[in-house]
């Protein structure tokens, strides 16, 4: 039986609708679960038992150290949960240990001291050769983990507050001696879960897993003022199997930036970031939403970012590297992105970021290939995008598909600009640069469906 036109439309529409619902259902179902097993601890200790006082004035450094020492020396196996009840716990920076859960109850705040004079210094990361912003060592992160396994930071959306304004002011006044501390850093660690916690006012980058594997970050909220310097949200760095999902980030710098070391130090260390998933992220920043770089000297591969919603942005999607970086950036997929009020939608560039020192090798050219960006929709985006490869290392396999960045109260002032790039573009509005449309590569737009996470 022939369906009449109206019915036909309705029929087609309902199929589309159910396909869309199905797609969303899949997007909602897919999760980081399984990458790191959830562990239940055999002991439950509370910070109060170690002298912890949540009055916002008492120093709790000793209480945290004693409690964590206790977990480190448990007689039974099975680890312990360190319970932080409601209250404001002021403390200096401290180290975590393996097989522990740091549990922040509703209304619990772990707050960094503003007395920065005794802040511990640690060695620079070998893949950076020096502190990221000052030569020499660097201040240890507020909450630190080195060489750990099986650590969970979770609870009922309690807060880890870095009280970063002291540090931001030192940066602004040029009085910083060493590189500012991250709020949380894990080094050489695996099986880490960070969930249901609020991170506030980090002195520098918020969450920095470096030389790590199997890291899950979900249901977190990361907040720092828009004008706070270098307060990146989450920076997976020379790490693999990192999964970030269902989070809100609003800071003064990139929301998520995948990195892998800096120039000659990162090349020598040679540890890539790989198999990184970022999904269902919402946020706002004067810099980038989803970024790769600019420190990518160990290489970055197999990144999937999907279902991302960005508001009041500098750049929506930013891949950035530089001459002297070396490193291969490949197999990067960004899909289903909505952005509103952005200076630029998409930027892929080979001239971003500074160098650790003058010893970088100008012949160490980065390689950027197989970058797929699909299903991007923008409102009030001033410039759709720019793709600038390097003359002696053109970016290849750059594929743009189903991208609409023209929706605006005022039309895009500047069209796409490209150089030293090849790839393809399908259904891109405004019409992208000729470099991308003229050099069709068959198969360049095939979207890898999933990333192996285990
Ligand atoms: C741990 O102990 C605290 C009280 O000290 C209690 O409120 C909390 O429910 C306990 N948590 C678990 C997981 O047993
Ligand atoms: C904390 O960890 C850092 C880095 O591993 C180490 O240098 C420092 O001595 C540790 N601090 C304490 C108090 O254990
Ligand atoms: C914590 O916040 C997240 C993100 O906003 C939310 O999804 C989750 O339900 C909250 N969890 C608790 C225990 O309140």
């Amino acid at each position: 039986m022939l369906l009449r036109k109206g019915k036909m439309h309705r029929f087609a529409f309902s199929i589309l609708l159910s396909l869309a619902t199905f797609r969303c259902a899949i997007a909602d179902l897919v999760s980081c679960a399984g990458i790191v097993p959830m562990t239940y601890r055999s002991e439950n200790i509370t910070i109060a038992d170690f002298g912890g006082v949540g009055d916002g004035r008492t120093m709790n450094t000793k209480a945290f150290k004693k409690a964590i020492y206790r977990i480190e020396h448990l007689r039974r196996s099975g680890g312990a949960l360190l319970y932080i009840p409601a209250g404001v716990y002021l403390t200096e920076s401290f180290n975590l240990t393996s097989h522990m859960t740091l549990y922040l109850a509703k209304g619990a705040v772990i707050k960094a001291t503003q007395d920065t004079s005794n802040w511990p210094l640690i060695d620079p990361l070998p893949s950076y050769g020096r502190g990221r912003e000052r030569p020499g060592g660097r201040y240890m992160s507020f909450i630190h983990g080195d060489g750990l396994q099986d650590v969970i930071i979770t609870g009922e959306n309690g807060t880890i507050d870095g009280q970063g304004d002291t540090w931001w002011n030192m940066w602004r006044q040029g009085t910083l001696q060493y590189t500012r501390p991250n709020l949380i850093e894990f080094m050489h660690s695996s099986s880490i879960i960070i969930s249901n916690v609020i991170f506030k006012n980090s002195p520098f980058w918020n969450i920095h897993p470096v030389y790590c594997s199997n890291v899950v970050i979900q249901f977190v909220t990361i907040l720092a003022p828009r004008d706070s310097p270098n307060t990146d949200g989450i920076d997976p760095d020379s790490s693999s199997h990192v999964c970030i999902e269902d989070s809100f980030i609003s800071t003064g710098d990139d929301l998520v930036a995948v990195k892998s070391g800096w120039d000659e130090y990162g090349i020598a260390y040679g540890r890539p970031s790989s198999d990184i998933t970022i999904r269902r992220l919402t946020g706002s920043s004067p810099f980038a939403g989803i970024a790769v770089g600019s420190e990518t000297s160990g290489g970055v591969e197999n990144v999937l970012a999907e279902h991302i919603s960005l508001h009041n942005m500098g750049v929506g999607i930013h891949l950035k590297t530089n001459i002297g970086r070396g490193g291969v950036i490949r197999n990067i997929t960004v899909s289903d992105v909505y952005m509103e009020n952005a200076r630029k939608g998409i930027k892929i560039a080979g001239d971003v970021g500074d160098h650790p020192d003058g010893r970088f090798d100008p012949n160490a050219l980065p390689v950027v290939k197989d970058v797929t960006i699909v299903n991007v929709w923008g409102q009030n985006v001033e410039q759709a995008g720019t793709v600038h490869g390097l003359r002696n290392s053109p970016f290849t396999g750059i594929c743009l598909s189903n991208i609409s960045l023209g929706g605006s109260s005022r039309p895009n002032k500047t069209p796409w600009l490209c150089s030293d790039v090849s790839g393809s573009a399908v259904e891109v509005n405004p019409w992208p640069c000729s470099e991308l449309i003229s050099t069709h590569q068959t198969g360049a737009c095939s979207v890898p469906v999933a990333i192996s996470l285990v």
Side-chain angles (χ1 to χ4, degrees):
M1 195 185 75
L2 277 175
L3 290 168
R4 305 185 67 210
K5 207 175 173 192
K7 264 191 183 167
M8 190 70 166
H9 272 153
R10 250 174 284 142
F11 180 63
F13 183 69
S14 71
I15 288 187
L16 275 179
L17 202 67
S18 52
L19 275 177
T21 324
F22 183 60
R23 220 192 128 91
C24 287
I26 290 181
D28 287 339
L29 279 177
V30 179
S31 89
C32 303
I35 296 166
V36 181
M38 196 37 127
T39 334
Y40 295 91
R41 308 301 184 190
S42 50
E43 280 197 41
N44 176 7
I45 60 178
T46 160
I47 194 73
D49 292 344
F50 297 84
V53 180
D55 62 0
R57 293 195 316 269
T58 307
M59 270 304 216
N60 289 283
T61 314
K62 281 208 180 95
F64 278 106
K65 286 190 175 159
K66 279 190 213 158
I68 289 162
Y69 181 90
R70 165 74 193 280
I71 300 174
E72 209 174 344
H73 297 88
L74 283 179
R75 274 182 224 102
R76 293 194 288 160
S77 62
L81 178 146
L82 174 56
Y83 186 84
I84 314 298
V88 179
Y89 298 83
L90 196 63
T91 174
E92 292 172 352
S93 65
F94 60 89
N95 287 331
L96 300 172
T97 189
S98 293
H99 310 295
M100 73 172 283
T101 298
L102 179 63
Y103 190 96
L104 289 91
K106 186 162 186 270
V109 181
I110 302 179
K111 202 172 204 175
T113 174
Q114 286 193 296
D115 176 6
T116 59
S117 54
N118 292 319
W119 203 286
L121 271 178
I122 58 173
D123 288 340
L125 294 167
S127 56
Y128 284 75
R130 46 163 281 182
R132 183 59 186 82
E133 55 182 352
R134 302 283 306 147
R138 54 202 193 106
Y139 293 110
M140 185 175 107
S141 63
F142 174 47
I143 297 183
H144 195 77
D146 190 355
L148 306 187
Q149 268 179 51
D150 175 25
V151 178
I152 302 173
I153 302 178
T154 189
E156 302 152 14
N157 292 331
T159 301
I160 296 176
D161 181 350
Q163 299 219 75
D165 45 353
T166 318
W167 296 99
W168 307 332
N169 286 334
M170 284 195 275
W171 180 85
R172 290 175 183 129
Q173 288 153 12
T175 54
L176 266 177
Q177 268 204 298
Y178 297 99
T179 298
R180 284 171 284 160
N182 303 123
L183 193 52
I184 295 216
E185 180 173 76
F186 282 101
M187 300 173 57
H188 307 287
S189 298
S190 64
S191 297
I192 307 295
I193 301 178
I194 301 175
S195 72
N196 299 90
V197 178
I198 299 167
F199 296 90
K200 209 171 122 184
N201 296 338
S202 174
F204 192 59
W205 301 344
N206 275 271
I207 303 179
H208 187 218
V210 57
Y211 322 137
C212 288
S213 65
N214 297 73
V215 178
V216 169
I217 300 168
Q218 54 187 184
F219 305 112
V220 300
T221 302
I222 304 180
L223 305 171
R226 209 172 161 81
D227 65 352
S228 59
N230 310 99
T231 48
D232 287 20
I234 304 171
D235 289 355
D237 196 346
S238 292
S239 290
S240 60
H241 304 294
V242 178
C243 188
I244 301 163
E245 64 183 12
D246 297 305
S247 292
F248 177 84
I249 309 179
S250 176
T251 64
D253 211 323
D254 298 346
L255 303 182
V256 175
V258 183
K259 302 176 182 291
S260 64
W262 208 10
D263 287 5
E264 67 271 27
Y265 305 102
I267 295 170
Y269 198 72
R271 178 145 178 194
S273 271
S274 64
D275 302 293
I276 313 285
T277 307
I278 304 153
R279 69 164 80 83
R280 298 186 299 266
L281 190 81
T282 302
S284 173
S285 159
F287 289 92
I290 300 298
V292 172
S294 73
E295 308 87 336
T296 49
S297 300
V300 173
E301 60 179 30
N302 305 342
V303 175
L304 172 65
E306 58 180 6
H307 303 282
I308 310 293
S309 176
L310 304 169
H311 311 264
N312 303 326
M313 295 302 303
V315 182
I317 301 161
H318 196 181
L319 272 58
K320 40 184 173 172
T321 180
N322 206 334
I323 285 171
R325 282 285 188 282
V328 179
I329 298 175
R330 72 164 168 229
N331 195 14
I332 311 294
T333 302
V334 182
S335 86
D336 299 273
V337 178
Y338 171 72
M339 59 179 91
E340 63 180 12
N341 305 330
R343 223 170 50 237
K344 192 178 292 207
I346 295 166
K347 181 174 180 182
I348 305 178
D351 64 348
V352 181
D354 44 355
H355 301 285
D357 50 43
R359 291 193 292 272
F360 68 92
D361 175 5
N363 297 317
L365 299 180
V367 171
V368 176
K369 61 181 183 185
D370 302 333
V371 175
T372 301
I373 301 179
V374 321
N375 305 341
V376 178
W377 184 48
Q379 291 275 18
N380 290 322
V381 177
E382 280 175 43
Q383 183 181 21
T386 54
V387 185
H388 292 298
L390 295 166
R391 183 167 298 262
N392 294 323
S393 182
F395 296 170
T396 59
I398 309 297
C399 170
L400 308 177
S401 165
N402 193 24
I403 295 179
S404 170
L405 292 168
S408 175
S409 43
R410 36 199 176 135
N412 287 170
K413 283 198 286 271
T414 337
W416 284 82
L417 293 173
C418 304
S419 57
D420 303 304
V421 55
S422 66
S424 56
V426 187
E427 292 188 44
V428 177
N429 169 42
W431 203 236
C433 29
S434 54
E435 285 85 345
L436 289 178
I437 11 193
S438 60
T439 54
H440 275 280
Q441 295 182 337
T442 43
C445 248
S446 61
V447 186
V449 175
I451 279 182
S452 119
L453 278 167
V454 273

